Amino acid sequence: MKTPRAALYARISQEDANIPSVENQLENLRALAAKLGAEIVAEHSDNDISGYSGKQRPGFRDLLLTIEDGRTDLVLAVAVDRLARNDVESFAIRRASIQAKVRWHTLATGEIDPTTATGAFNAALFAALAELESGLKAERARRSVNDRLNLGLPLVGNRVFGFETDRLTLRTDEAELIRTAYSRMLDAPDTLSPEDRQQAPWTLYKVARDWNARGHKTTDAGRSSKKRGTGGRERVEHDGMFTTEAIKRILTNPRMAGILTHKGEELASDGLPAIVSRERLDAMEAFLANPARKQKPGQKATNLLSGVMLCPCGNPLSAGSVGAKSTVKGKVYKYSYHVYRCRKSNTPGNTSGHATVRVTEADEWVTNEALKAIAEERVTVSGGGYDRERITAIYAALGEKFRQIEHVQALLADPDLVDEQTAFKARLKVLKGEREALEIERDRLTALSAEGGALSEFLAYMQGLPNYDDIEASIAEGSTAEQRAAFWKPAIGWAKGYEAWEGTPVEKRREILRGSFIVKLSTGRGAIDTRISVEAR
């Protein structure tokens, strides 16, 4: 007699308080397979994924493929409701099983043959009852949530740092830690203790290091959660160590000020205990959202035209490397070279309308054209492009945008709001787009200050260069005023410009180009002078 092949399937969701773990289910199913004399050909599982929620279940999808490919004769599960808890999935597995003539065997109900009328009826009945049970559970949970919110009480869930498990009673030692962190980060250094004053200014990293050194743990210490990118198949255990992100979430949690929120909206709540005042919470959010608090400078640009030269699509170009190869006498040589290219060119569905150019050719041509314009005095220091009030307003808007982004990111990390993640992700994408637009405008306006800053310094540097006085004097003796104006003055200016350019740091050169010129690259092939335009602003 042919040995039957068996595929095992186990599932558990967060609402299944009385269901064995996935590993325990699989262990019991292995014993069942041995009892039935079946050969196990596949094991599939979904961890912490509800069959009622409608979310994709990778393990269930793989089980369907195993059935459809004809690789199994039996499907083993703890109960029918582990296989499907809604009509869509119940129909999918019944149809696949009927076509492949696969039977089910569960620990709860024994064998079910969906290819028979009775078996199909029982399978559909069990799935309908399971869906009803899940729906009733969801309705009870929603009613409980609404009841607590209407009473102005926080939702039941994981303990919030600074509070006991009831989310109402303050945990004295943690509350004092939070107040101290607020003082260290917001108050003037001369108001701190001598020990704290020595470490000022205090940062999120310093607070995290201090709390870890004192032996405090995060509220998720010892718990495990799904590991990102594994579809719930792998879990990671939290060690309880504080990170800068964890400290930030704690200090900006509205509960610190006795504010009750749900899905990002503030709700009415009277008398909730607070660790700090609302004013202190607002001050902390503003402090952490301020881009000026960044202490470490970012990586400095080393390429002259990165972020300066524009692609035909309107986006700034950045420097990168491309690989190439050539064949000489039958031997293949591989090499790479640097190019300026558009970051958007690799976006799916957006590969046309972009341009690429070699770094060395572009740098040489743009430098030549810029110095020529400066020598011919087509570029002057006007100082009228810098709008200080507008810059200040943009920085304020950026601070607010950073605060909004961090708030949505905190909502995404909230396990009580799993069902809202799609909306939160869409909102986060919009906010990041708005932040990017503000940053581009900030950089554009800031760059215009080069006309009164970097360009002014460069022109002064040019005028102060030695060894040109004698040349200018000899030219003055042997030429007319027209000749000097038309040729010799620009020629001397060009020579001075090149010498001054060599002595100017790359970042200053970039400021001059960004603030005084519009550099554009066109598509197609051809000579460099036909592809790059350099226009004085």
Side-chain angles (χ1 to χ4, degrees):
M1 183 177 177
K2 183 180 177 181
T3 302
R5 300 164 299 170
L8 314 186
Y9 180 73
R11 178 183 63 80
I12 189 171
S13 61
Q14 292 178 345
E15 66 264 24
D16 293 327
N18 300 317
I19 301 296
S21 68
V22 162
E23 188 51 48
N24 287 341
Q25 289 182 49
L26 290 174
E27 187 176 344
N28 293 333
L29 295 177
R30 294 181 193 117
L32 176 61
K35 182 178 179 181
L36 297 174
E39 175 193 0
I40 299 174
V41 294
E43 293 185 2
H44 306 294
S45 63
D46 289 304
N47 208 349
D48 276 358
I49 301 179
S50 171
Y52 179 76
S53 66
K55 292 183 180 179
Q56 188 180 55
R57 294 192 281 157
F60 181 78
R61 180 192 58 212
D62 294 343
L63 173 64
L64 289 179
L65 291 176
T66 301
I67 296 172
E68 292 168 353
D69 293 344
R71 289 184 279 133
T72 186
D73 306 306
L74 290 171
V75 171
L76 306 186
V78 172
V80 175
D81 65 1
R82 295 299 92 195
L83 291 174
R85 299 196 77 166
N86 60 61
D87 287 339
V88 175
E89 290 184 345
S90 176
F91 175 76
I93 193 169
R94 288 203 318 271
R95 183 182 63 177
S97 299
I98 290 171
Q99 292 176 346
K101 298 181 179 180
V102 170
R103 293 169 289 120
W104 306 349
H105 202 113
T106 71
L107 291 172
T109 58
E111 182 175 311
I112 296 177
D113 187 353
T115 63
T116 66
T118 303
F121 172 78
N122 288 334
L125 178 61
F126 287 133
L129 291 173
E131 185 171 12
L132 174 63
E133 180 187 3
S134 291
L136 291 174
K137 283 183 178 179
E139 288 179 0
R140 288 195 297 269
R142 283 194 291 269
R143 283 198 300 270
S144 176
V145 166
N146 291 332
D147 289 345
R148 290 189 66 86
L149 294 177
N150 290 335
L151 292 172
L153 297 175
L155 298 179
V156 175
N158 298 331
R159 188 174 74 83
V160 178
F161 192 83
F163 296 85
E164 299 292 347
T165 53
D166 61 3
R167 292 189 166 192
L168 290 171
T169 308
L170 295 184
R171 182 167 286 196
T172 308
D173 58 336
E174 293 180 355
E176 188 57 35
L177 274 179
I178 293 169
R179 294 190 191 99
T180 301
Y182 265 76
S183 296
R184 287 169 168 173
M185 298 183 71
L186 298 180
D187 295 343
D190 56 6
T191 65
L192 304 178
S193 67
E195 295 80 6
D196 289 349
R197 198 180 308 143
Q198 289 179 353
Q199 298 194 53
W202 279 81
T203 62
L204 294 171
Y205 172 76
K206 289 182 180 180
V207 172
R209 185 179 60 185
D210 179 64
W211 288 12
N212 288 329
R214 293 172 182 266
H216 293 280
K217 298 290 183 181
T218 59
T219 56
D220 60 1
R223 292 206 309 268
S224 63
S225 61
K226 289 181 288 186
K227 185 177 181 180
R228 291 181 181 272
T230 65
R233 293 186 178 89
E234 297 181 27
R235 301 184 69 83
V236 58
E237 184 171 333
H238 301 285
D239 58 9
M241 300 297 287
F242 288 98
T243 62
T244 55
E245 291 80 7
I247 297 294
K248 192 172 191 177
R249 284 196 298 270
I250 291 170
L251 298 183
T252 57
N253 188 340
R255 282 290 287 112
M256 299 301 110
I259 300 171
L260 181 63
T261 60
H262 182 58
K263 297 182 179 180
E265 298 293 330
E266 183 175 340
L267 305 178
S269 57
D270 295 326
L272 281 182
I275 297 175
V276 297
S277 66
R278 179 186 285 265
E279 291 73 22
R280 294 284 275 178
L281 176 66
D282 291 342
M284 179 61 74
E285 289 180 340
F287 172 74
L288 294 178
N290 183 6
R293 57 180 286 271
K294 182 178 178 181
Q295 293 185 352
K296 293 184 178 180
Q299 182 179 359
K300 291 185 178 180
T302 56
N303 295 97
L304 182 66
L305 301 176
S306 287
V308 176
M309 186 162 56
L310 300 178
C311 178
C313 72
N315 288 298
L317 299 171
S318 59
S321 298
V322 296
K325 61 182 180 180
S326 61
T327 304
V328 179
K329 295 182 179 180
K331 189 174 182 180
V332 177
Y333 294 90
K334 295 183 178 180
Y335 61 96
S336 64
Y337 55 90
H338 294 292
V339 297
Y340 290 116
R341 57 187 173 192
C342 183
R343 296 176 182 176
K344 304 287 185 180
S345 60
N346 293 326
T347 304
N350 188 28
T351 56
S352 62
H354 306 286
T356 301
V357 65
R358 290 204 182 205
V359 167
T360 52
E361 294 179 1
D363 286 358
E364 182 178 355
W365 172 253
V366 172
T367 296
N368 182 73
E369 290 298 293
L371 292 178
K372 182 178 178 181
I374 292 173
E376 293 174 357
E377 297 183 351
R378 287 186 278 120
V379 179
T380 58
V381 182
S382 62
Y386 189 67
D387 189 341
R388 188 173 300 278
E389 290 185 3
R390 176 64 178 150
I391 286 283
T392 303
I394 287 178
Y395 270 110
L398 271 174
E400 175 63 17
K401 205 62 63 179
F402 274 107
R403 189 192 67 77
Q404 293 174 358
I405 288 172
E406 289 162 359
H407 179 61
V408 175
Q409 288 173 334
L411 294 176
L412 276 171
D414 191 335
D416 296 332
L417 304 176
V418 173
D419 294 338
E420 307 294 329
Q421 289 216 348
T422 301
F424 290 150
K425 288 179 180 178
R427 177 60 179 157
L428 187 62
K429 184 177 180 180
V430 171
L431 289 173
K432 287 185 175 180
E434 293 173 349
R435 181 192 65 184
E436 183 178 358
L438 285 170
E439 288 174 338
I440 291 173
E441 179 66 4
R442 176 202 63 192
D443 293 342
R444 185 187 73 81
L445 292 175
T446 303
L448 294 179
S449 66
E451 296 189 7
L455 180 59
S456 178
E457 294 176 10
F458 180 76
L459 294 176
Y461 183 21
M462 282 178 56
Q463 298 304 320
L465 288 174
N467 304 325
Y468 284 92
D469 294 342
D470 295 341
I471 297 176
E472 291 176 341
S474 62
I475 290 173
E477 293 178 1
S479 62
T480 64
E482 291 78 9
Q483 290 174 331
R484 288 194 294 274
F487 177 75
W488 288 112
K489 186 176 180 180
I492 293 295
W494 205 350
K496 282 186 174 182
Y498 267 107
E499 184 172 343
W501 195 257
E502 290 298 318
T504 301
V506 172
E507 191 54 43
K508 288 290 185 182
R509 299 182 198 177
R510 287 166 50 79
E511 288 180 11
I512 293 170
L513 293 175
R514 193 188 296 116
S516 303
F517 298 92
I518 300 173
V519 184
K520 293 182 179 179
L521 176 66
S522 63
T523 56
R525 298 178 179 274
I528 195 71
D529 60 339
T530 64
R531 297 193 59 206
I532 300 179
S533 64
V534 183
E535 301 176 8
R537 290 186 183 273

